[in-house]
Amino acid sequence: MATAQLDPRYPRLIAPDSLAFEVGRVSDARSEPPVRGERVLRRLETLFVRLNAATGRAIPEHLNPFAQMGAVANTTFFIALVTGILLLFWYSPSVNHAYDSVVGMQNESFLGGLMRSLHRYSSDACMLFVLLHGLQTFFARKIGGARWLAWVSGIFLIGLLWFDGWTGYWLVWDERAQLVAVGTAKMIDVVPLFTDPLSRSFLTNESVNSLFFFIIFFIHMLIPLAMGIALWLHIMRLNKSKFLTGRTLSWIITVALIALSLAVPADYAARAEMAQVPQNLSVDWYYLLPLYLTDRLTGAALWVGTLLATIVFFGLPWIITRRRAAPAIVDEVACNGCTQCYKDCPYNAVSLLPREDGRGENPVFARIDPAKCVGCGICVGSCDSSGIDQVRLPLLDIRKWVNRNARDAETGDGRFVAFVCADSGGADFEIDVFGESPDLPGYRVVPVPCAGWVHMLTVERAIRHGARGVLIAGCSTDPSCRHGSMWTHERLTGTREPGLRLDKLPERAVRYVRYDRTDRRAFLEAAAAFRNGESDSGPRRVRSTFARYAVAAIVLLGVTLPTVGLSDLPYSMPPMDHAELVVSFKHAGQLAEQIAETNDEDVLPHMRGAPSGRKVRLPVRMSLAIDGEEILNRAYEPSGLFNDGTSIAIEPVPIEPGEHVVRVMIGESADVSEWTYSSQETVQFAEGRRQVVQFEYPGGFVWR
């Protein structure tokens, strides 16, 4: 066998010299590496475990949305994708007609309104299940080591999904879209992507750029393609991944969303009016919650917050994880190339390579990639030749320990041996150096990372060496190691290799039970029943038909309420008890010659070169006076790497409601007392409204 168990980087669960277990809990055998905040996260994970267990007692696993949240999210995203494409029959991607087309499809076309509502609620349901799936993964600490790619790609997927919804609300071009556009422009203006600040395009209705609106439409349509690539990265390391829900659950989801769309049609806000600052409206908190920040922070602060959040969320696998999971290692000499580990590995960590030494019956041998291995040990239980070992739980040492402890050394009586999964109902059991636990009397306990670690030959040897019975305890809904519980059941029934040879064992000598770690009492009852020779009643199930349908209705209601509830919650802008004047210009100052500096002082006059110079633009000055009082006088530097571009200004000024005389002057020369352009108007200001003065050459001043 390979000497992987001697690797000092990973703590062993059993000492190699004395063959005694380390004192601790069964959960110490968990395949996930320890993380900072383990206790807190474990308690939070319990919420999801209890949710899965409660619904799983009444609803079959293939119909339980909480047992396959990733697949539910993909299904709802697919519905949103299809309905989004169908909406193109009614929607006009033009800033001048977008709002009218949305109103038309909602009020004049039953099918168009249904498609829009279905598109919205399926998008909200997708975000709901994506967030639940992400929280469950984080609380379960399944983000470090080999799982980092799934976590990073998952965070990237959430970002893409949110941005797709953010741009989708932009396309309605109502008051919500107005806030989305202004908030986006505030961030983009910090980065010099465009020659003109994007904020100038959203000062008035007339200044909105139709081409940019179509670009947003194109981006909204293109993002799902990027999401498809990210989703492939997200599941590429999973073997037999479940991409979509089954046919029955998919129909249930579709019908439920259609019923929700008919009962509560998607709404829309008032038409976007750039001169009016929206005050009280409702927004979709799944996608528009960042409005609370964009409406209150500067563009620079938004970028700082975004970068910090990106670093934290993408860096979590390395921030909280203390070490990598202990990988399994193949003894290439012992490997007979049966390929069973390759078929069983849930994370595609096993690859088959051609054998060049001529040994074995098969022309290939297995090799495990440590970067993909999560340490679940399922390959240990699937290896036909026992050519795979695990660093923390060496197979040969465990077999020696089981052989030694199968009988009581003093009386010679057989003992019961229990292989207990670290995420099962016995996860919190304490064990001593002899494998005994006061929580599980009458058993010698072997903690394993997954029930799939248990090799059927180990079970047979325990019985042959005198064990009265072998109990294998696995976890139930949403197994931590994915297919381990299922593979164990198939091996025990002989439908999967390497199978248990039932003809060589006494009747009822082996029992397999599955309980989540929240079902501690039920697991103890099952273990006691096996020890007393009684039959196993199995996990508690809801047997009443009425109760099962009641639980299903509660689950449906529990998913529907947050889907529709969070999609239309009140939102208040920062209070604005004044009016606002915005003065903006885009103008080029006069050209002036700039003489380059020379170092010719030490050179004879007749040998000095001719002075060199280049043309630069002078800063453009602006003066703003209200009711005869100057409140702004500022120069704006020209843009461009060589100071040869235009000067641009956007100056918002709060002003008391009422009638005011406003005078704006623009100066383009070097003479600070010379004002080239001037305009004065008497303007009526209203609370919560914006008045805009724009200047561009040669059109001059425009008052809106």
Side-chain angles (χ1 to χ4, degrees):
M1 291 289 294
T3 58
Q5 62 269 27
L6 301 180
D7 194 326
R9 296 176 299 172
Y10 305 100
R12 290 162 48 100
L13 296 175
I14 187 170
D17 299 328
S18 61
L19 293 182
F21 279 101
E22 296 290 338
V23 178
R25 296 178 181 269
V26 171
S27 58
D28 293 338
R30 199 167 185 267
S31 63
E32 305 303 325
V35 301
R36 297 174 178 86
E38 180 95 20
R39 292 183 179 179
V40 175
L41 293 177
R42 194 167 185 269
R43 290 177 181 176
L44 293 172
E45 181 198 11
T46 302
L47 300 176
F48 284 96
V49 175
R50 292 188 183 279
L51 179 64
N52 284 337
T55 55
R57 293 189 184 102
I59 303 175
E61 186 174 351
H62 71 283
L63 296 179
N64 186 358
F66 300 120
Q68 45 186 322
M69 288 188 286
V72 173
N74 291 337
T75 301
T76 52
F77 175 76
F78 181 75
I79 295 174
L81 180 64
V82 173
T83 54
I85 295 174
L86 294 177
L87 282 176
L88 296 178
F89 287 104
W90 296 274
Y91 180 72
S92 175
S94 165
V95 69
N96 298 316
H97 304 289
Y99 184 79
D100 292 331
S101 66
V102 171
V103 173
M105 77 173 70
Q106 196 72 35
N107 298 333
E108 300 174 7
S109 171
F110 170 79
L111 187 58
L114 176 62
M115 289 299 105
R116 179 172 181 266
S117 299
L118 191 56
H119 182 67
R120 174 170 173 176
Y121 290 131
S122 59
S123 301
D124 289 335
C126 180
M127 180 60 80
L128 172 64
F129 277 95
V130 163
L131 293 176
L132 289 175
H133 178 58
L135 287 175
Q136 182 187 41
T137 301
F138 177 63
F139 293 157
R141 292 88 71 203
K142 296 191 291 187
I143 67 174
R147 300 182 191 262
W148 73 267
L149 180 60
W151 174 261
V152 170
S153 59
I155 294 296
F156 186 62
L157 274 169
I158 292 177
L160 286 176
L161 178 63
W162 167 80
F163 189 62
D164 204 28
W166 180 264
T167 57
Y169 273 101
W170 188 325
L171 296 177
V172 180
W173 204 238
D174 56 2
E175 288 183 337
R176 297 166 183 153
Q178 177 181 341
L179 297 179
V180 169
V182 172
T184 305
K186 184 185 293 186
M187 288 193 68
I188 292 179
D189 285 348
V190 177
V191 184
L193 294 178
F194 301 101
T195 305
D196 293 354
L198 189 59
S199 300
R200 294 192 77 232
S201 297
F202 303 115
L203 293 178
T204 65
N205 292 339
E206 294 78 9
S207 62
V208 176
N209 193 314
S210 299
L211 177 60
F212 188 77
F213 189 88
F214 185 79
I215 291 175
I216 295 298
F217 169 77
F218 182 74
I219 291 175
H220 181 71
M221 299 294 292
L222 194 62
I223 288 177
L225 179 60
M227 291 183 65
I229 298 174
L231 187 59
W232 173 76
L233 290 173
H234 186 63
I235 63 175
M236 66 178 296
R237 289 187 174 181
L238 300 182
N239 186 15
K240 296 181 174 63
S241 59
K242 193 172 184 179
F243 182 74
L244 297 173
T245 55
R247 180 181 301 177
T248 303
L249 184 56
S250 297
W251 276 113
I252 292 174
I253 293 172
T254 304
V255 172
L257 288 173
I258 292 175
L260 179 61
S261 301
L262 294 174
V264 189
D267 68 342
Y268 49 85
R271 186 190 299 270
E273 179 61 50
M274 307 311 297
Q276 178 71 43
V277 179
Q279 289 299 308
N280 297 310
L281 68 161
S282 61
V283 300
D284 186 341
W285 279 34
Y286 285 111
Y287 296 98
L288 301 185
L289 186 59
L291 286 177
Y292 190 85
L293 300 177
T294 58
D295 289 338
R296 289 163 175 83
L297 300 179
T298 64
L302 290 171
W303 273 113
V304 171
T306 301
L307 292 176
L308 287 178
T310 301
I311 292 172
V312 170
F313 282 113
F314 279 96
L316 272 177
W318 299 274
I319 294 174
I320 70 171
T321 305
R322 294 180 176 177
R323 65 170 183 268
R324 293 181 63 88
I329 294 181
V330 178
D331 183 349
E332 297 177 2
V333 176
C335 176
N336 63 6
C338 69
T339 73
Q340 195 62 42
C341 59
Y342 175 78
K343 300 174 183 176
D344 288 358
C345 179
Y347 303 100
N348 288 327
V350 181
S351 57
L352 299 177
L353 301 178
R355 183 182 292 278
E356 299 178 355
D357 54 11
R359 300 181 181 180
E361 299 178 359
N362 295 317
V364 296
F365 69 93
R367 178 170 292 174
I368 296 176
D369 185 352
K372 297 180 180 179
C373 180
V374 303
C376 63
I378 292 177
C379 56
V380 176
S382 66
C383 184
D384 183 59
S385 62
S386 299
I388 300 180
D389 210 355
Q390 196 177 31
V391 175
R392 299 188 63 206
L393 204 62
L395 180 61
L396 292 184
D397 289 348
I398 293 298
R399 284 180 177 174
K400 292 177 183 178
W401 185 90
V402 171
N403 295 343
R404 180 182 297 181
N405 291 277
R407 290 182 179 275
D408 189 293
E410 297 181 359
T411 64
D413 296 334
R415 292 168 167 163
F416 284 91
V417 177
F419 294 92
V420 183
C421 166
D423 284 300
S424 69
D428 295 326
F429 291 173
E430 296 182 353
I431 59 173
D432 59 17
V433 294
F434 304 108
E436 295 182 340
S437 173
D439 302 294
L440 198 64
Y443 284 89
R444 288 297 178 95
V445 180
V446 180
V448 294
C450 174
W453 179 93
V454 182
H455 199 288
M456 296 300 103
L457 186 58
T458 304
V459 176
E460 294 178 13
R461 287 186 174 184
I463 300 298
R464 288 203 300 267
H465 281 79
R468 293 178 59 190
V470 174
L471 178 69
I472 302 176
C475 53
S476 185
T477 55
D478 191 31
S480 177
C481 300
R482 298 186 70 236
H483 302 311
S485 296
M486 182 170 58
W487 293 165
T488 302
H489 173 75
E490 293 182 3
R491 293 169 189 166
L492 288 169
T493 56
T495 58
R496 193 175 194 86
E497 295 294 335
L500 183 66
R501 296 175 292 184
L502 298 175
D503 57 328
K504 298 183 178 296
L505 299 176
E507 187 178 359
R508 297 183 179 179
V510 181
R511 182 168 294 179
Y512 178 46
V513 297
R514 293 181 61 183
Y515 294 95
D516 288 315
R517 57 183 177 85
T518 57
D519 289 339
R520 176 190 178 102
R521 179 181 298 180
F523 172 58
L524 289 174
E525 293 174 356
F530 179 56
R531 189 179 64 245
N532 298 330
E534 302 171 357
S535 60
D536 178 29
S537 59
R540 294 188 296 270
R541 299 286 184 183
V542 177
R543 301 188 181 279
S544 168
T545 302
F546 174 79
R548 289 201 301 269
Y549 278 104
V551 172
I554 292 174
V555 170
L556 185 61
L557 189 64
V559 172
T560 302
L561 286 181
T563 298
V564 68
L566 294 178
S567 70
D568 193 27
L569 285 180
Y571 172 75
S572 297
M573 290 281 292
M576 184 177 179
D577 55 359
H578 58 268
E580 187 178 61
L581 171 66
V582 179
V583 184
S584 175
F585 72 79
K586 177 184 178 182
H587 186 58
Q590 292 181 355
L591 286 171
E593 188 172 16
Q594 184 182 58
I595 306 300
E597 296 182 0
T598 62
N599 296 319
D600 292 345
E601 290 80 1
D602 298 331
V603 181
L604 295 175
H606 68 280
M607 299 180 64
R608 295 175 184 172
S612 60
R614 60 185 179 90
K615 298 290 185 178
V616 297
R617 293 284 182 182
L618 293 174
V620 177
R621 294 168 290 107
M622 181 173 69
S623 172
L624 173 63
I626 298 178
D627 296 330
E629 180 183 355
E630 187 177 57
I631 64 171
L632 178 68
N633 192 327
R634 180 180 170 186
Y636 300 86
E637 296 295 329
S639 60
L641 295 176
F642 303 103
N643 292 333
D644 56 354
T646 58
S647 296
I648 300 174
I650 304 176
E651 293 290 351
V653 179
I655 190 171
E656 290 297 323
E659 187 176 273
H660 297 276
V661 178
V662 180
R663 185 191 67 200
V664 183
M665 297 187 296
I666 304 292
E668 61 182 17
S669 65
D671 186 356
V672 296
S673 63
E674 179 184 354
W675 299 100
T676 315
Y677 308 97
S678 176
S679 181
Q680 178 173 302
E681 293 281 346
T682 300
V683 183
Q684 184 69 36
F685 290 90
E687 182 178 314
R689 289 191 64 86
R690 177 186 299 119
Q691 298 290 337
V692 180
V693 183
Q694 290 180 301
F695 174 83
E696 285 193 36
Y697 181 84
F701 289 94
V702 178
W703 296 74
R704 293 192 175 98

